[in-house]
Amino acid sequence: MSHGDIKRESTHCGLPTPEASVKAASPLKVEGDDLRSDFRKGRFVPNGGLPGSVGTPQSPIDLDDDDEMVPQWKPVPTPSGPTAGSLEILGRDVQKLVEFRDKLGNIGLKDIAPFLPEVVLVGDQSSGKSSLMSAIAEIHLPRGSGTCTRVVTNIKTGFSAEWTCEVSLQESYAFDPTRRTKCDFPGWVELDGPLGNKPFTVVHDVGQLEEVLQWAQIALLNPTEEYTTFIPGTPGHQRQKDLRADGRYKDLIAFSPNVIAVDINGPRLPSLSFYDLPGLIQTPPTQEERDKILVVAFKKLTQKYISHPKALIICAISMSNDPGNSYTKRIIQEAKASKAEDRCIGVLTMPDLVQNANSDYTGIFHPDQKLRKFVLKHGYFVTKQPGPSAQPPSQHYHEHAREVEDGFFATNSYWEDTEGIWAHFKPRCGTQAIQSYLSAQFARLILESIPNIEGKIHDEKRYVESELEKLPENPSETVSGIVREILNEFRDGIRDLIEGKTAQGRAFRIRRKTLNGQFSKALDVMKPGCVCHHPSEDAPAVIFIDDSDNTSVASLGFRTPQHLKRPLPNGTSSTRPNKQQRPDGAVSVKDETLTGMPAPVTPVKLSNGFGLRLRKFTPEEFGPFCQDYLHSGNKAMSLSDIKSTIEEHAVDGKPGDISPEVAESFALQSINMWAQPLETYLSQMSSTLKEEIQGVLRATMENYTDTDLYRSSKGFLEEFLEEQKRKQNEAASQMYNIEHFSLFTLNEEAFLKNRQDALEVLAKARRAVRVKLYLKRHPPRNAHEPKDAAAKVTDEQLKDLGPDPFKSELEVAAYIRGYYTTARLRFIDAICASNNVSLHRDILLGLKGLLVRKLELDTGNGEEKCRALLERSRQVAERRRVLLTKKAQIENVIEVLNQLRKDTSNSSITENRSDTTTLYDDDGDTPMNQYDH
């Protein structure tokens, strides 16, 4: 019968318990069969083939779901005492899962810690918490001395034919009294790696366990002493007993965050693993500093354990007090970030001390959901444990205690079957009900954790292995050969880079080619433009040349006439400030250009946008050259300036003769502006080269970046590249000084062609100016005549204006632009060729054998030097140690996962679960604690 076919049983004692919808984390993909596939196939359903004395849900519970109430289930009445279908069977089947969880916890891998389920027992001091723990584990914890309240006890129970108990000390913190700040517990430092597990003793007689636990706790409170001296029956134990005989000897510390591990196996025990925390206190019992420390330490300890996202919290609340006064429950409610209250099970103790039936407990037990108080997702249980006057622990102590407990709920006026007002809650009363529910819930949480654990462990395995590959061990064999092999590999990598034999080399070649093209384009757009209008001409607008040689008339711009003046090399004035003047009259850059390049120019955004002369381009086409100096050719000369300069240099008696100084002054002024883009080019090329070479070094020495071999090699390379940069700058500076010193070219053919091309462009622009002037003097007869009247003006008509009075000035402008183009092409070729030669001759040949010489491997004891070069830093050695420790932990986790798969392959945990379906209620809409009535 399927779960959906189960009908609600008409019984007043129906017990609501969470079932829960499955919301398992999506498993990560891994190769091969794994536990996650078993989980998906339903082979690891917590109640499959596991009959229990109290019904358990069939589906894993999602304790973090706030959006929907959890469906309920209803158990059948539980017989007192163990039976064939009771706790011991449940314990046998679930025990493998509990052992699996504890093994993972002991490995101490923090990466999976958030996925490991825990059961945590908390409560106020004197809330009956220790008695509850004793009942669940069927042991007798120490009482009276107070020692038991100062440490955490981790109790694991499991099934076996004979009763045995192993006690050990688990140390996850180291005592350091100097550490008082920036730590959870002052005086304690949390350790990395596996838990420090110190075997204490093995107990076969349950009557001896109380004394063993008392001394185990004393051992933790004296961390500076040898722990074996506290083990009962050892030679040192008697001395410790004598020291404490009169009760005046105090332990070294009042509290320890370390844990006593108690592993108990017995014939009637469920499979559980849970932590018993010290009882919370709000005020110290005395004003001693030790007692004040306990108040803070116990609160922090509780907050730490309940904040674990997979912790199932058991909160003990004494019914002798108002449930709203529970300090522990208030701490749980305050832990909203971790949703601790949604993971909490309330266990009410001391029911014989309840004051009256009209107390707040009536609200907890109320059958009407709307009238219920202090609601918890997991609901509440009630237990009655023996009081302080009970008989001392004996072999049948717990059997007798269970009989007394059953008798109490059968006869107490609040609980008896016929008249008790809380009788409907009776199925949730008693220790066995608590044991069964905790065991089933704990197994379910473990199953839910397996997909996340496996996914996380595979991710961490890959990460650790990749990190260890970067940190290989120091070689134990001869290392000089290793060092030379690395250096040869670096040399070959540089050769492949420069010759473009690798993908990196081809990308580097493209970067250099792109930079050369951008440099050439920058100097091209800086060509001196010419204003082709003279103020003496009565025209409403000005046509100027500011573009490349192929500018068409349609692309020319018009500007309002301006009086343009600029300083020229011979001292004439203009509105444009000139660069520094050399004593001989030639334009020069800053003085440092003679020995090196000018100071670096920081790339800036063009202040006026791209404007008319750059309208055909985008900023990306210029790359790092997209700076204000691209505008330097804009209106660099005008017919007015040229005419004035010609007149100033005219020689009496030689009419029409134009001094060569006129063209030279304008041309050199334009060439003078090359200093800034040249500096940009050299800086970019140098940084690109340095970046690529250092990339080859990093790739070659990827596994040795923490050694002196890498650090020294990097330093020597930086020195070498800096020297090459200086030499290249000097060579470029010399070429630049030649260009702007004076006009000179032997390439007359190229110059004449460039001048003719420039003259054609200028003549076209000049004609447009004269057309405008003609149309002003001879306006169209019809005002509605098409606006393209300028295109209809013929050269014959322009003769009416007479000969162009600025023909000579136009020819001078063409000379200047023609020479600029000739010099620019020559300069670009020279600079780029020099850089290419430097790259192949100075860099490639210079690096050959450089590191061998600088590292002095051929002098003295080369083997010893190589070993020193490969020696790793302490930090890296420590990093490697940590990674190796983590790798071992991961391997242990994988081994545990594989063992669980093997152990459960034929277990009843994977079998049919139909024998438990009668325990479940199909009412999925019934919220938690909705009792049938």
Side-chain angles (χ1 to χ4, degrees):
M1 181 171 59
S2 67
H3 180 65
D5 296 333
I6 304 173
K7 302 300 181 181
R8 181 189 301 273
E9 298 179 8
S10 301
T11 172
H12 70 282
C13 59
L15 178 61
T17 323
E19 183 178 283
S21 56
V22 181
K23 288 191 177 180
S26 300
L28 298 177
K29 293 183 179 179
V30 295
E31 296 182 1
D33 191 22
D34 56 28
L35 290 175
R36 288 171 290 170
S37 61
D38 295 336
F39 182 70
R40 289 191 296 268
K41 296 173 185 176
R43 294 171 56 193
F44 285 87
V45 178
N47 208 39
L50 305 180
S53 60
V54 177
T56 53
Q58 287 182 316
S59 303
I61 185 170
D62 184 351
L63 297 181
D64 294 330
D65 187 1
D66 287 332
D67 299 329
E68 38 182 79
M69 294 303 291
V70 185
Q72 314 304 312
W73 56 268
K74 179 169 53 183
V76 295
T78 304
S80 61
T83 65
S86 188
L87 292 178
E88 65 270 25
I89 299 178
L90 180 66
R92 284 197 299 270
D93 289 322
V94 180
Q95 187 167 350
K96 293 183 179 66
L97 292 175
V98 177
E99 290 175 351
F100 160 75
R101 183 257 172 255
D102 284 343
K103 287 177 181 178
L104 294 186
N106 292 335
I107 290 171
L109 186 60
K110 293 185 178 179
D111 299 280
I112 63 172
F115 305 114
L116 295 179
E118 295 178 352
V119 178
V120 180
L121 178 56
V122 295
D124 294 355
Q125 199 171 68
S126 302
S127 63
K129 180 180 60 63
S130 295
S131 297
L132 174 61
M133 172 64 80
S134 298
I136 294 174
E138 297 195 358
I139 62 173
H140 203 71
L141 294 177
R143 296 183 182 181
S145 65
T147 306
C148 62
T149 63
R150 298 172 187 257
V151 297
V152 178
T153 305
N154 176 209
I155 299 181
K156 188 183 78 169
T157 62
F159 174 84
S160 69
E162 300 293 333
W163 190 95
T164 59
C165 176
E166 294 184 14
V167 179
S168 60
L169 309 181
Q170 290 184 346
E171 295 183 341
S172 56
Y173 290 84
F175 180 63
D176 183 358
T178 63
R179 294 289 296 271
R180 312 303 298 178
T181 59
K182 296 183 179 180
C183 51
D184 292 337
F185 307 106
W188 295 94
V189 181
E190 190 169 9
L191 301 174
D192 291 325
L195 297 177
N197 192 42
K198 296 179 178 180
F200 198 72
T201 189
V202 178
V203 181
H204 297 281
D205 184 353
V206 67
Q208 298 174 354
L209 183 57
E210 181 175 1
E211 180 186 13
V212 170
L213 293 181
Q214 180 177 345
W215 283 103
Q217 295 158 2
I218 295 174
L220 288 182
L221 297 177
N222 295 273
T224 59
E225 297 191 46
E226 173 57 42
Y227 82 96
T228 56
T229 63
F230 297 96
I231 301 176
T234 61
H237 180 242
Q238 187 59 47
R239 184 180 66 85
Q240 296 291 354
K241 288 180 65 176
D242 294 341
L243 288 174
R244 293 164 174 78
D246 57 5
R248 291 182 296 176
Y249 186 87
K250 289 189 177 181
D251 298 315
L252 178 65
I253 53 177
F255 156 80
S256 173
N258 289 320
V259 177
I260 298 175
V262 184
D263 190 349
I264 309 172
N265 290 280
R268 298 186 303 111
L269 294 177
S271 292
L272 280 177
S273 177
F274 51 105
Y275 293 88
D276 178 27
L277 271 59
L280 285 179
I281 52 177
Q282 298 190 58
T283 56
T286 70
Q287 292 304 309
E288 291 187 16
E289 187 63 27
R290 292 165 67 92
D291 288 337
K292 293 180 181 179
I293 291 175
L294 291 180
V295 175
V296 177
F298 290 173
K299 180 180 179 181
K300 285 186 176 181
L301 198 66
T302 300
Q303 290 172 329
K304 174 186 176 182
Y305 276 83
I306 67 173
S307 64
H308 189 293
K310 295 297 181 182
L312 190 61
I313 305 167
I314 308 171
C315 180
I317 302 174
S318 172
M319 294 185 71
S320 63
N321 300 318
D322 189 323
N325 293 333
S326 172
Y327 179 47
T328 303
K329 191 171 185 297
R330 187 161 72 248
I331 295 296
I332 293 172
Q333 290 173 330
E334 292 172 354
K336 297 184 183 300
S338 62
K339 300 181 180 179
E341 194 171 16
D342 291 345
R343 296 179 278 105
C344 182
I345 302 171
V347 177
L348 306 177
T349 65
M350 308 180 194
D352 53 322
L353 301 181
V354 66
Q355 298 299 318
N356 58 75
N358 296 322
S359 66
D360 284 334
Y361 291 101
T362 299
I364 291 178
F365 302 142
H366 206 289
D368 188 343
Q369 178 184 359
K370 296 180 180 179
L371 301 178
R372 197 170 309 124
K373 297 181 179 180
F374 307 108
V375 177
L376 293 175
K377 239 181 183 180
H378 284 273
Y380 291 82
F381 289 86
V382 184
T383 180
K384 168 68 174 70
Q385 300 301 327
S389 60
Q391 63 179 354
S394 63
Q395 182 177 0
H396 302 288
Y397 174 83
H398 292 287
E399 287 184 35
H400 177 67
R402 298 292 71 77
E403 293 174 359
V404 172
E405 183 179 45
D406 291 342
F408 171 81
F409 289 113
T411 60
N412 186 273
S413 60
Y414 293 143
W415 312 94
E416 62 176 336
D417 293 341
T418 56
E419 301 295 336
I421 61 173
W422 296 336
H424 62 278
F425 197 82
K426 196 171 180 180
R428 274 210 166 197
C429 297
T431 302
Q432 288 186 349
I434 300 172
Q435 287 175 317
S436 179
Y437 184 77
L438 289 178
S439 184
Q441 290 295 320
F442 191 47
R444 179 174 298 106
L445 290 174
I446 295 173
L447 286 174
E448 287 184 14
S449 71
I450 291 176
N452 288 328
I453 291 173
E454 283 205 322
K456 183 64 176 178
I457 209 64
H458 281 81
D459 290 344
E460 289 300 314
K461 183 175 183 292
R462 286 191 293 267
Y463 169 75
V464 169
E465 289 174 348
S466 66
E467 289 296 301
L468 283 173
E469 288 178 0
K470 302 175 185 177
L471 304 172
E473 292 184 276
N474 287 331
S476 56
E477 67 275 11
T478 302
V479 297
S480 59
I482 297 176
V483 172
R484 291 181 183 274
E485 182 180 353
I486 293 172
L487 297 181
N488 289 338
E489 185 180 347
F490 169 70
R491 178 201 62 201
D492 295 342
I494 294 298
R495 183 191 64 237
D496 293 343
L497 171 72
I498 293 177
E499 295 180 357
K501 294 182 178 180
T502 62
Q504 182 184 2
R506 290 188 288 273
F508 177 47
R509 177 175 291 178
I510 293 174
R511 291 180 66 182
R512 285 160 36 216
K513 182 179 180 181
T514 300
L515 195 63
N516 290 338
Q518 292 169 337
F519 181 37
S520 178
K521 183 176 292 186
L523 265 60
D524 185 28
V525 301
M526 291 169 63
K527 182 188 307 178
C530 180
V531 178
C532 294
H533 164 261
H534 191 274
S536 63
E537 297 174 315
D538 185 20
V542 182
I543 300 177
F544 61 91
I545 297 297
D546 250 354
D547 234 338
S548 60
D549 292 346
N550 60 355
T551 303
S552 65
V553 175
S555 66
L556 297 176
F558 294 82
R559 292 183 182 273
T560 302
Q562 299 180 28
H563 180 63
L564 302 175
K565 294 183 179 180
R566 58 178 48 77
L568 297 176
N570 59 6
T572 57
S573 63
S574 85
T575 58
R576 180 183 295 276
N578 191 16
K579 296 296 177 181
Q580 292 179 336
Q581 307 267 331
R582 285 175 32 161
D584 56 7
V587 180
S588 67
V589 294
K590 296 180 180 179
D591 293 339
E592 60 263 33
T593 303
L594 299 176
T595 56
M597 291 312 302
V601 179
T602 303
V604 296
K605 183 179 179 181
L606 293 176
S607 56
N608 297 320
F610 257 43
L612 178 65
R613 66 183 291 104
L614 301 178
R615 68 189 179 281
K616 300 186 303 180
F617 307 105
T618 61
E620 291 75 17
E621 293 182 69
F622 293 95
F625 300 92
C626 188
Q627 301 184 42
D628 273 344
Y629 52 65
L630 293 183
H631 286 308
S632 62
N634 185 28
K635 297 185 293 185
M637 55 186 175
S638 68
L639 297 181
S640 177
D641 287 338
I642 294 173
K643 181 176 178 63
S644 299
T645 306
I646 290 174
E647 292 173 352
E648 290 173 2
H649 288 78
V651 179
D652 291 340
K654 295 183 179 182
D657 184 40
I658 300 177
S659 172
E661 293 182 6
V662 176
E664 183 176 27
S665 63
F666 283 99
L668 291 180
Q669 178 175 312
S670 297
I671 292 173
N672 188 49
M673 299 303 297
W674 291 354
Q676 291 179 340
L678 176 60
E679 192 281 329
T680 301
Y681 174 80
L682 294 173
S683 176
Q684 289 292 319
M685 192 63 76
S686 175
S687 62
T688 299
L689 177 64
K690 181 177 180 180
E691 176 185 336
E692 294 291 344
I693 289 180
Q694 288 185 340
V696 174
L697 181 68
R698 284 193 302 272
T700 304
M701 301 187 183
E702 180 182 9
N703 294 331
Y704 301 94
T705 53
D706 59 302
T707 65
D708 281 341
L709 175 62
Y710 175 77
R711 289 187 289 267
S712 298
S713 298
K714 183 180 179 182
F716 291 140
L717 281 178
E718 289 178 350
E719 292 176 3
F720 173 78
L721 293 175
E722 194 62 33
E723 176 63 16
Q724 295 305 312
K725 177 182 177 181
R726 185 189 64 79
K727 291 180 180 180
Q728 183 64 17
N729 284 0
E730 285 184 356
S733 178
Q734 182 64 24
M735 286 181 268
Y736 169 76
N737 286 333
I738 290 173
E739 291 295 342
H740 79 75
F741 181 80
S742 64
L743 305 189
F744 182 86
T745 182
L746 295 178
N747 193 355
E748 184 175 356
E749 180 180 355
F751 167 69
L752 293 177
K753 180 182 181 304
N754 292 331
R755 184 180 66 174
Q756 181 60 33
D757 291 344
L759 183 60
E760 290 177 2
V761 173
L762 292 170
K764 188 180 296 185
R766 179 61 186 162
R767 185 183 186 281
V769 172
R770 288 172 60 78
V771 167
K772 287 288 185 180
L773 182 61
Y774 175 84
L775 291 176
K776 181 175 175 122
R777 296 180 182 180
H778 303 84
R781 297 176 182 178
N782 187 351
H784 300 289
E785 189 173 333
K787 295 182 179 179
D788 58 348
K792 296 181 179 181
V793 177
T794 64
D795 291 343
E796 190 66 26
Q797 291 174 311
L798 290 179
K799 290 181 180 179
D800 291 346
L801 299 178
D804 189 348
F806 299 102
K807 180 180 179 182
S808 298
E809 287 78 3
L810 209 64
E811 291 175 347
V812 171
Y815 183 99
I816 295 168
R817 287 167 62 90
Y819 181 82
Y820 181 95
T821 299
T822 304
R824 176 183 66 81
L825 295 175
R826 175 179 63 203
F827 182 67
I828 291 292
D829 270 355
I831 293 295
C832 294
S834 174
N835 179 269
N836 187 66
V837 169
S838 172
L839 190 65
H840 286 81
R841 181 193 64 193
D842 300 332
I843 302 295
L844 188 57
L845 296 179
L847 284 177
K848 186 177 181 179
L850 172 72
L851 295 181
V852 173
R853 292 193 305 273
K854 290 291 187 179
L855 294 171
E856 300 179 348
L857 300 184
D858 292 332
T859 61
N861 190 334
E863 178 66 22
E864 184 177 339
K865 290 180 180 178
C866 290
R867 189 168 295 280
L869 287 171
L870 291 183
E871 186 174 347
R872 301 184 183 279
S873 65
R874 293 181 180 178
Q875 293 85 349
V876 173
E878 175 62 18
R879 169 68 173 161
R880 180 174 174 77
R881 184 196 67 78
V882 170
L883 287 173
L884 286 174
T885 299
K886 189 171 185 178
K887 181 181 179 182
Q889 292 175 309
I890 290 173
E891 291 172 349
N892 288 339
V893 171
I894 294 175
E895 182 180 351
V896 171
L897 287 167
N898 291 335
Q899 186 63 44
L900 177 65
R901 184 184 298 110
K902 179 180 178 181
D903 290 345
T904 57
S905 60
N906 297 316
S907 172
S908 63
I909 199 170
T910 65
E911 297 173 358
N912 194 319
R913 43 184 175 166
S914 61
D915 56 340
T916 62
T917 56
T918 57
L919 300 178
Y920 297 95
D921 183 359
D922 66 346
D923 183 4
D925 297 327
T926 305
M928 181 62 63
N929 277 350
Q930 181 64 52
Y931 309 124
D932 293 340
H933 59 286

